[in-house]
Amino acid sequence: MSYAYLFKYIIIGDTGVGKSCLLLQFTDKRFQPVHDLTIGVEFGARMITIDNKPIKLQIWDTAGQESFRSITRSYYRGAAGALLVYDITRRETFNHLASWLEDARQHANANMTIMLIGNKCDLAHRRAVSTEEGEQFAKEHGLIFMEASAKTAQNVEEAFIKTAATIYKKIQDGVFDVSNESYGIKVGYGGIPGPSGGRDGGASQSGGCCS
Amino acid sequence: MHETELHDLSDDADYAASQLQGSVSMERSDSVKTTSSAEPEGAELVYLKDNVTIHPSQFASERISGRLKLIKQGLSLLLTWIPYKGHNTNARLSEKDRNLYTIKGISFSDVRSIRRHTPTLGWQYIIVVMSSGLAYPPLYFYSGGVKEFLATIKQHIFIVRSADDANVFLVNDFENPLQRTLSSLELPRAVVANGLSASTSVSASHPAEKQPIDDGSVSGDIASLSLYNGRPRPKVHDPARDLSIQVLEKFSLVTRFARETTSQLLRESLNNGYGANERRDNSLHHQDYSCKPSPDPEKAPEEVPVVPDPLEFDKLSLVWGKPRQSPLGSEEWATFLDSEGRVIDSKALKKRIFYGGVEHRLRREVWAFLLGYHAFDSTCAEREYRRSMKKLEYETIKHQWQSISAEQAKRFTKFRERKGLIDKDVVRTDRSLSFYEGDDNPNVNLLRDILLTYSFYNFDLGYCQGMSDLLSPILYVTEDESESFWCFVAVMERLGPNFNRDQNGMHSQLFALCKLVELLDRPLHNYFKQNDCLNYFFCFRWVLIQFKREFEYEKVMRLWEVFWTHHLSEHLHLYVCVAILKRYRNKIMGEQMDFDTLLKFINELSGYIDLDAILRDAEALCICAGENGAACIPPGTPPSLPVETSLLFPQQDDVL
């Protein structure tokens, strides 16, 4: 299947925050509570449509444990988008965000779009991090923010697509030199779209709508 | 085993071809000089010598006589040596043994040198050394004719006498500027030789008496025919195979695997359409690789010509050790034990397991030896005693964390964090396996208890992701908490550095791997270098958890027990890495994979790797690399035991 662009995403965050589950929910539309922990990196991919352009997301799902940070750092290279995930029921995963962000800033290209995701928002009764705190952190660091649930699929689609729309808009705005693959964007065989009239880069989802 | 059958298909193909040959030979005139029917199309027989013999051992009864030929095909020259059938009267050597030594048409473009030996007493003989460094066993000329042999070669290709040794004739000496120049003028030769090597594989499984088979081209039709014939061939243990390795090792005069860049570039420019891929695809040994993951559909890779493998698998197969055997079973296992249960010959046992693994029901018993939990020379009674003592010791350590109260845990962050990590990971370890599946599975709880106990046994190392992958098969096999723990301790003795916070164990292995690839496949090394892939992070998962995620569970257990024998090398796993990379080298380089693509490709190989074939390749690579290979691996590189205990640095917990 041809695409106009291919975006490389990387999913980062502490171990057990639900990175692999978010990916699976996005690519396969299912929640699998029983799955093997990620060693190194796993890959997922899905086509989406933005501004009527087919865009392929190639998603790198990384291992979260600190020991593997040096390996994970080598995956940032050429990522256009990052999903930085924490678990709203575990405070420490929120506390570690700064350190993840530092890694991302250091090893990814400066124009990488970062989406902060507070996962497991279905577990409101065990919430340890408020939505406001998440919003505040995102605002301070210039990130897009959403709370999501890989289990219920709430905001999962939106998170991936909104990130893509932001990247797409950056392309339209001429932020990237798309011929330079270090930005994590590949121009596909689907034809290079010229600067479109639609300045908002309106995102239209290819999949079904979620709440 | 499935793979073994696949491997044997090639034998069947040879067999079928030879049967066909047998029936045809009745109609054919015996005029050997009429080459058009006997040799591949356009080939011309330029030299023939009977009674050329190989001495697989010191026993005269095991000598194998055959017919040596030089065949000219286009601009290239080929050498074949086909043993006679039923010539030697001894029963010790099977047809298969003889077949092993058969030289099925080597091209002189792949030959580095020929060494002539003219002892004053005894027969004259020659040794052919390939560019890859492989040497064929000596060929004894019982009826004389070495001089004539060399003279004939000289008529057809350019050879020079070595300045260092008057008995060495250099065929492709790329260090010699003159020859390099000349070689570059003989371009077509290389092309023809490359294109031929598959189709000229000459079969000699069952040639008629004193009538060597001399055309071959085992076509696909014949190969598939043999499938329907379904003629089962007994699998024989062949001691000669070991001897062949010794012989090859002994006479591997040159172990220079990488050619000069000049010759690489030369070949690169020639290799269009004649890549090693094609050759390999023709080889039935490798049919099992047809189901590799499909390439990224939207990538539409443009295949580019790649530098050929200096150590190709058709040559590697020459040093393959014994064919993979069936796993060690109870009856055979009993023969390894004395009346009190001691293992009489641990070396022989390890070797046996290296070649076939262990039947599953024996694993519990045998793994304890392989891992060093029990000493090979211990008696049954001693082991029973040790088991009970070790169980007590385990319970003591386990009690240390079990006695931590909830109140105490509140003030013991490190413990809480560790327990939290382990709790999270054991429920994400092999849960699709019935042994670990379902809610409140007691075996999952055992995984947790053992890992937590281990983190107290080795508090400095603690817990790190990947450990549960290493423990899971051990618990599955032993089905005993204390025994699993101690076996896991033994594994971690060696692999603990994989999990050091600074990753020093991993880095040292990946570094050694880099050196091994440089030694065993220089063009691939250069490719990785150019593409910024020398950190070998794409092999990270392979090494960290010993291919646990690359094979199905049963195969992982098989692989590990082979590793644990430490037969040939403690670092066989690194040779396995090289073997897999070499299998896909042409794809990797041909599709110009960058780091990201390569990482994804390697990840997706999971489940598609043929274990038995890879083990044989790894074994052959290990033998070929010899001391040079060992020199690539610094002392103390895991899974070697640490040189000094300080290698295990205390580390902070991994809680991020």
Side-chain angles (χ1 to χ4, degrees), chain B residues 174 180-181 184 259-269:
Chain B
F174 289 95
R180 198 156 56 211
T181 314
S184 67
R259 288 189 171 186
E260 291 295 301
T261 316
T262 320
S263 67
Q264 287 164 8
L265 292 171
L266 172 68
R267 285 178 150 234
E268 185 177 12
S269 65

Side-chain angles (χ1 to χ4, degrees), chain B residues 65-346:
Chain B
S65 289
R67 178 178 285 176
L68 181 71
K69 285 183 185 182
L70 292 172
I71 298 160
K72 183 129 197 257
Q73 172 131 30
L75 287 164
S76 79
L77 190 65
L78 301 165
L79 179 148
T80 65
W81 177 82
I82 311 295
Y84 305 129
K85 195 214 171 195
H87 180 58
N88 52 352
T89 50
N90 73 85
R92 294 182 68 171
L93 287 173
S94 67
E95 284 304 320
K96 198 166 180 178
D97 295 330
R98 269 205 295 282
N99 201 20
L100 169 70
Y101 291 94
T102 302
I103 299 173
K104 300 178 176 183
I106 52 175
S107 164
F108 273 81
S109 63
D110 294 323
V111 173
R112 175 174 157 76
S113 65
I114 296 167
R115 177 180 278 270
R116 175 182 68 176
H117 290 259
T118 50
T120 44
L121 280 174
W123 298 290
Q124 296 188 349
Y125 62 94
I126 58 154
I127 296 167
V128 178
V129 182
M130 306 300 286
S131 301
S132 62
L134 280 184
Y136 283 82
L139 293 163
Y140 289 84
F141 285 60
Y142 280 14
S143 315
V146 169
K147 199 173 173 182
E148 187 202 345
F149 172 73
L150 290 167
T152 309
I153 294 172
K154 217 168 207 169
Q155 285 170 15
H156 296 280
I157 58 164
F158 181 79
I159 58 172
V160 288
R161 202 185 278 255
S162 164
D164 302 321
D165 186 338
N167 281 314
V168 174
F169 295 84
L170 300 166
V171 181
N172 286 292
D173 180 24
F174 289 95
E175 274 159 12
N176 177 338
L178 172 65
Q179 181 148 23
R180 198 156 56 211
T181 314
L182 286 168
S183 297
S184 67
L185 296 173
E186 293 171 8
L187 302 186
R189 189 186 79 188
V191 174
V192 174
N194 280 343
L196 266 179
S197 48
S199 62
T200 51
S201 65
V202 180
S203 164
S205 293
H206 292 253
E209 177 95 15
K210 266 273 183 186
Q211 175 59 58
I213 293 172
D214 40 21
D215 74 355
S217 7
V218 181
S219 75
D221 289 342
I222 295 172
S224 54
L225 190 70
S226 73
L227 277 172
Y228 297 109
N229 283 348
R231 206 184 301 261
R233 302 187 61 206
K235 292 190 176 67
V236 277
H237 296 186
D238 40 3
R241 195 111 201 185
D242 286 348
L243 291 166
S244 80
I245 292 168
Q246 288 162 18
V247 170
L248 285 165
E249 273 184 307
K250 197 168 167 185
F251 290 100
S252 284
L253 303 173
V254 188
T255 49
R256 195 168 56 89
F257 295 125
R259 288 189 171 186
E260 291 295 301
T261 316
T262 320
S263 67
Q264 287 164 8
L265 292 171
L266 172 68
R267 285 178 150 234
E268 185 177 12
S269 65
L270 292 170
N271 218 35
N272 290 307
Y274 292 99
N277 251 341
E278 281 80 359
R279 265 169 285 165
R280 200 163 302 158
D281 288 347
N282 279 330
S283 156
L284 288 157
H285 290 282
H286 302 290
Q287 273 195 344
D288 39 2
Y289 274 78
S290 55
C291 56
K292 49 190 157 188
S294 58
D296 215 356
E298 73 275 349
K299 183 102 202 296
E302 287 170 40
E303 291 273 350
V304 300
V306 297
V307 184
D309 191 343
L311 192 65
E312 282 162 18
F313 283 97
D314 46 352
K315 289 166 203 160
L316 266 192
S317 63
L318 286 169
V319 280
W320 270 2
K322 294 179 188 180
R324 304 291 308 163
Q325 295 173 356
S326 53
L328 175 75
S330 305
E331 277 180 34
E332 195 184 350
W333 166 237
T335 67
F336 280 100
L337 302 174
D338 71 9
S339 57
E340 290 182 278
R342 296 182 191 88
V343 174
I344 305 158
D345 185 348
S346 64

Side-chain angles (χ1 to χ4, degrees), chain B residues 588-652:
Chain B
I588 292 167
M589 293 194 281
E591 292 178 15
Q592 293 279 294
M593 293 186 190
D594 59 9
F595 178 81
D596 282 14
T597 316
L598 179 61
L599 185 71
K600 189 164 179 288
F601 173 73
I602 296 280
N603 244 41
E604 287 167 0
L605 282 182
S606 174
Y608 291 95
I609 304 168
D610 178 332
L611 180 61
D612 280 354
I614 282 297
L615 276 174
R616 280 185 304 222
D617 288 350
E619 180 195 357
L621 286 166
C622 187
I623 290 166
C624 289
E627 287 179 6
N628 292 334
C632 293
I633 308 169
T637 301
S640 293
L641 291 169
V643 180
E644 43 189 344
T645 48
S646 65
L647 275 177
L648 291 172
F649 297 111
Q651 54 188 325
Q652 293 178 1

Side-chain angles (χ1 to χ4, degrees), chain A residues 1-3 6 8 13-17 20 33-45 56 58 60 63-71 74-75 77-78 87 90 92 96 99-100 120 181 186 189, chain B residues 296-300 421 424-432 463-466 468-469 498-501 503 507 510 531-532 535 537 540-541 544-545 549 594-597 599-600 603-604 651 653-656:
Chain A
M1 192 171 172
S2 65
Y3 55 80
L6 182 146
K8 172 180 169 179
D14 278 12
T15 180
V17 297
S20 301
V34 173
H35 63 92
D36 283 354
L37 64 101
T38 308
I39 300 284
V41 65
E42 298 285 350
F43 294 89
K56 179 171 174 170
Q58 188 195 75
W60 295 43
Q65 198 174 0
E66 170 67 15
S67 301
F68 302 134
R69 280 281 189 103
S70 64
I71 296 286
S74 70
Y75 305 147
R77 186 167 53 181
D87 174 354
R90 283 195 296 145
E92 70 271 19
H96 294 145
S99 135
W100 282 109
K120 310 196 187 179
E181 289 188 359
K186 283 182 187 170
Y189 300 105
Chain B
D296 215 356
E298 73 275 349
K299 183 102 202 296
L421 269 177
K424 270 196 168 303
D425 286 354
V426 291
V427 297
R428 298 190 287 171
T429 303
D430 294 324
R431 297 298 298 287
S432 55
Y463 169 77
C464 179
Q465 288 188 336
S468 65
D469 273 277
N498 282 13
F499 302 100
N500 278 355
R501 189 184 171 84
Q503 296 277 298
H507 286 303
L510 295 178
N531 288 274
D532 215 3
N535 60 23
F537 282 174
F540 181 81
R541 191 173 72 188
L544 183 82
I545 49 173
R549 300 282 181 98
D594 59 9
F595 178 81
D596 282 14
T597 316
L599 185 71
K600 189 164 179 288
N603 244 41
E604 287 167 0
Q651 54 188 325
D653 259 5
D654 301 330
V655 291
L656 286 179

Side-chain angles (χ1 to χ4, degrees), chain A residues 99-117:
Chain A
S99 135
W100 282 109
L101 209 52
E102 194 185 316
D103 260 13
R105 299 273 192 236
Q106 214 164 12
H107 300 278
N109 82 70
N111 289 311
M112 182 170 78
T113 303
I114 303 174
M115 160 74 77
L116 179 66
I117 296 179

